[in-house]
Structures are given as structure tokens and as C-alpha cells.
Amino acid sequence: GAVVSQHPSWVICKSGTSVKIECRSLDFQATTMFWYRQFPKQSLMLMATSNEGSKATYEQGVEKDKFLINHASLTLSTLTVTSAHPEDSSFYICSARPGLAGRRNTADTQYFGPGTRLTVL
Amino acid sequence: QKEVEQNSGPLSVPEGAIASLNCTYSDRGSQSFFWYRQYSGKSPELIMFIYSNGDKEDGRFTAQLNKASQYVSLLIRDSQPSDSATYLCAVKRAGTGNTPLVFGKGTRLSVIA
């Protein structure tokens, strides 16, 4: 159980285009999803926290107009990189939290998707 | 002081040995503790979580938690070359609602055949 998928797994695009990445929790409902990015040989960097039905909370330094996050349902969150540039090339990873009432530690757990590798030419 | 600290490594152990990975955290009220494994080029995968003082075993992995000393460790018995990866420690702070786990920067483990 606790499977998270991402689509696409990789994408190559031209500078200036927009790219949408989908994150789905396949066998549980995710009250909260998180978006990270990771540059080669570097640590995970949290970009934003997304709660179903409400606006995402962005980390300091992350442009909300450039990285649009939508969490329309309990199983789907999307990240759109608008007007992508080569410096946006990175590994984008989503993470979902079940948030099951009464099961504290399972509720706290974050399950990661397989990631999306974005290359902007 | 960083919230979650790990030695970046690399930690090199011979095949078959016990690998010991350590993590300290600064918030005494932290309530849940997690270990993730991340292979190069892949996303993190959950190994196990622990929330009570003491040991928790799952196969070749044992997590140890000492809240008084604010550290959590992961032991890997009978280490295999396939265990070579970066191990991330993560902590859920108390009273923080639905905020994300706080991750350490990870310890790179290399198991030598």
C-alpha cells in the first residue's frame, strides 16, 4: 500500500514553455501533498505544501507564479512550471501524506512519488 | 544548530558488516522519526518509522530512538552492496499540524564487496 505515482517520469521541453507534472496517491487519500526538487548530488529542497481544496503554502524563495500548484482532489496534485528556463532543469519529486485520523504515525508518514526529471533546453 | 543533523559520509563498510547511521535533532518535542533510503537518481523510499524510545526491528534494519539524548539511529545488519545509497533521517515536530517532515541532508553509505 501507500503508492504514489508521478507523470511524466521525464520531460524535455524548450525554454519558455510550460510543463505540468501530476502526482497521484493510488491507494490512499492524501490530505496533504508536498513538492520537492533536487539538483544533482544535493539535498531535497521543499518547494511547497499543498492541502486539498486550499491554496498551496510556498517556501521562502519559491515563486508561486512560476510554480503553480493545484490540489483539486484527495488523490491528485499538479505542479506546473510556467515559462520554464534551463535553470529550472531539476528532479521534481512529490510526496503524499495519508493523514489518517487516529493513526498518528502513519498519518505523519510521507510517501514519495518516483520523481519527474525535467530538462529545459 | 540545524534541526536534523546527519554526518554526510561517505560511510564505508565491508559486505556483511553492520552499518550504523546516526541522526540528531534539535526539537525536544519531536514526536515521530523516519528513515528513508535514496538511491542515486531515484526518489526516497521509506524504510521505517519509530516513535517510542528503544529499538524497532524490521528485517535487517533496526531503528533506535533515544529522546532524552535527542538522537535516532539506523542499524543495517549483514550489509549488502545493494544497501549502498543515501540514508535520510526525518522528524515530525510536535504541534506542527500538517507541516512537512524535517529532513536531514543524508548520510551516504557505501558497502564494499
Side-chain angles (χ1 to χ4, degrees):
Chain A
V3 179
V4 178
S5 71
Q6 270 184 255
H7 178 81
S9 54
W10 59 269
V11 57
I12 301 173
C13 68
K14 292 182 179 180
S15 186
T17 59
S18 293
V19 174
K20 180 187 279 189
I21 302 170
E22 290 188 350
C23 176
R24 293 182 186 272
S25 54
L26 298 185
D27 53 0
F28 65 97
Q29 293 186 326
T31 54
T32 308
M33 289 185 173
F34 306 94
W35 287 95
Y36 295 83
R37 72 176 172 183
Q38 188 173 37
F39 295 104
K41 299 192 187 302
Q42 293 193 22
S43 308
L44 288 173
M45 190 195 86
L46 178 67
M47 299 176 69
T49 298
S50 165
N51 290 296
E52 185 264 340
S54 62
K55 290 185 178 180
T57 302
Y58 290 81
E59 295 299 300
Q60 193 171 13
V62 178
E63 300 175 59
K64 60 181 67 176
D65 294 331
K66 181 169 183 62
F67 299 99
L68 301 178
I69 291 172
N70 183 282
H71 192 160
S73 76
L74 287 172
T75 59
L76 173 65
S77 177
T78 60
L79 167 69
T80 301
V81 183
T82 62
S83 187
H85 290 284
E87 58 266 28
D88 298 322
S89 299
S90 188
F91 190 41
Y92 291 86
I93 314 171
C94 74
S95 176
R97 172 177 284 164
L100 298 174
R103 297 173 62 180
R104 183 187 66 186
N105 299 290
T106 303
D108 290 341
T109 304
Q110 286 181 219
Y111 298 97
F112 285 86
T116 296
R117 196 163 300 282
L118 171 64
T119 302
V120 185
L121 303 177
Chain B
Q1 182 186 10
K2 294 177 184 174
E3 284 202 64
V4 179
E5 292 208 59
Q6 297 180 255
N7 189 317
S8 61
L11 172 66
S12 295
V13 300
E15 183 176 359
I18 296 175
S20 177
L21 303 157
N22 299 313
C23 170
T24 58
Y25 59 95
S26 61
D27 183 355
R28 185 170 289 278
S30 297
Q31 58 186 32
S32 305
F33 307 86
F34 302 80
W35 282 101
Y36 290 82
R37 175 175 62 195
Q38 186 176 24
Y39 291 110
S40 181
K42 302 293 185 182
S43 67
E45 57 179 322
L46 179 69
I47 298 174
M48 62 195 304
F49 61 77
I50 186 169
Y51 64 91
S52 296
N53 275 326
D55 295 0
K56 179 181 179 182
E57 189 175 314
D58 184 359
R60 293 187 298 113
F61 299 99
T62 299
Q64 299 175 318
L65 174 61
N66 184 323
K67 290 186 177 179
S69 301
Q70 294 176 236
Y71 83 77
V72 56
S73 62
L74 181 70
L75 302 178
I76 307 175
R77 288 183 299 283
D78 188 23
S79 296
Q80 301 297 309
S82 58
D83 294 325
S84 297
T86 296
Y87 289 79
L88 303 171
C89 171
V91 172
K92 179 70 164 69
R93 289 180 288 131
T96 52
N98 221 359
T99 55
L101 299 178
V102 180
F103 283 86
K105 292 190 179 298
T107 297
R108 190 155 55 92
L109 172 68
S110 178
V111 181
I112 312 299

